[in-house]
Amino acid sequence: MVLTVRADFYHYCVAQPKLAALLEHGAYPLAAPDLTALHAMITGPAAKAGLSFEDDLPVRLLADTGQDAPGRLALLAYALYQLYERDGAGRQLTVASYKAFGGVEGAIGRQAEAVFQRLSKPAREAMGPVFRELVKVDDDGATTRRRAPLASVTGEPARAELVAAFCAPDARLLTRDASGEVPVVEVAHEALFRSWERLREWIEVRKDDLRLLRQVRLAAAEWEERRRDEAYRWP
């Protein structure tokens, strides 16, 4: 079994004695890739698939992504996917296609706004209720994605329309997983929180509310685990 955890959440693992003991053996720290490694991550799989890049497109991708930019891997992956969708049949990934969807920085944000504008008015107005379930803000203000039961997110027709559009194969901004007992939905790329201006502003305005919502959910879960003991219920 292989488990992965982001470095900024590692301290939560160490706080659990049994998990901390396991981490003393077999843990493998994976450093952030440098430019050489990132270049190999782009060109190596493409070569194995029989694809080529026009001119110095891989170098341009890396320059536009930014070596230390947060979420750069998600942005890079999404941009490469967009290139493949447009040029894969021709076996060469081109600069013209890269420019057409706005490059790395604009890829996710432009796609999200384009999908959003095609929605009906009720579905656009459902953005807040939908992303309230899919966004999590911790005590330090860090924004991460949250997996939520599909039924709790799509409880109304307008919400269901938004989720369906964002999960569509030509969007892939949200992902649904029905492999477990309860189908769930989550944001496909956390870069969406930064690249889509509409959502970024929505989160910024409501950051304190989202942080409190997370605290309430954690407290409610603990209260349920303690069989609704009054000592664990907020006054």
Side-chain angles (χ1 to χ4, degrees):
M1 180 178 293
V2 177
L3 305 178
T4 62
V5 61
R6 278 167 34 171
D8 50 338
F9 290 102
Y10 191 83
H11 63 285
Y12 292 115
C13 301
V14 179
Q16 303 296 323
K18 292 184 178 180
L19 187 52
L22 288 173
L23 289 170
E24 291 179 5
H25 310 283
Y28 183 85
L30 185 63
D34 58 18
L35 287 176
T36 301
L38 285 169
H39 191 275
M41 289 163 62
I42 294 173
T43 57
K48 286 184 178 295
L51 298 169
S52 63
F53 289 91
E54 182 181 23
D55 299 330
D56 58 349
L57 185 52
V59 176
R60 182 169 181 171
L61 280 162
L62 292 175
D64 290 350
T65 303
Q67 185 174 1
D68 298 319
R72 67 188 186 280
L73 291 179
L75 285 171
L76 184 59
Y78 196 82
L80 288 168
Y81 174 78
Q82 293 295 321
L83 278 170
Y84 180 75
E85 285 290 286
R86 287 165 169 77
D87 296 338
R91 315 314 291 171
Q92 185 182 52
L93 310 182
T94 65
V95 174
S97 291
Y98 181 67
K99 290 180 178 178
F101 62 78
V104 170
E105 289 298 328
I108 294 180
R110 289 174 185 270
Q111 178 77 346
E113 186 62 22
V115 173
F116 182 82
Q117 292 299 334
R118 293 198 295 266
L119 297 172
S120 67
K121 183 179 179 181
R124 292 197 300 269
E125 293 173 347
M127 188 191 88
V130 167
F131 281 96
R132 184 182 63 213
E133 300 297 318
L134 303 177
V135 175
K136 181 170 59 176
V137 176
D138 67 17
D139 294 337
D140 296 325
T143 303
T144 54
R145 57 187 169 184
R146 174 179 182 266
R147 301 189 89 195
L150 183 62
S152 71
V153 182
T154 59
E156 300 175 1
R159 297 188 195 181
E161 179 187 341
L162 187 151
V163 171
F166 274 59
C167 287
D170 61 345
R172 299 179 186 271
L173 298 161
L174 301 178
T175 60
R176 286 177 290 204
D177 183 0
S179 61
E181 293 183 3
V182 178
V184 297
V185 61
E186 66 179 328
V187 171
H189 309 277
E190 287 188 355
L192 183 69
F193 301 147
R194 297 176 295 274
S195 299
W196 186 20
E197 184 178 359
R198 184 184 301 274
L199 180 58
R200 185 178 70 245
E201 292 177 353
W202 182 87
I203 292 172
E204 189 61 34
V205 170
R206 295 161 180 80
K207 217 159 196 179
D208 289 339
D209 294 336
L210 293 168
R211 184 185 295 113
L212 178 60
L213 180 58
R214 172 181 171 272
Q215 294 171 351
V216 171
R217 283 173 169 151
L218 289 172
E222 183 179 25
W223 183 55
E224 287 287 355
E225 289 174 2
R226 302 287 182 170
R227 298 183 180 181
R228 302 195 175 191
D229 188 323
E230 284 295 304
Y232 292 90
R233 185 172 66 84
W234 281 11

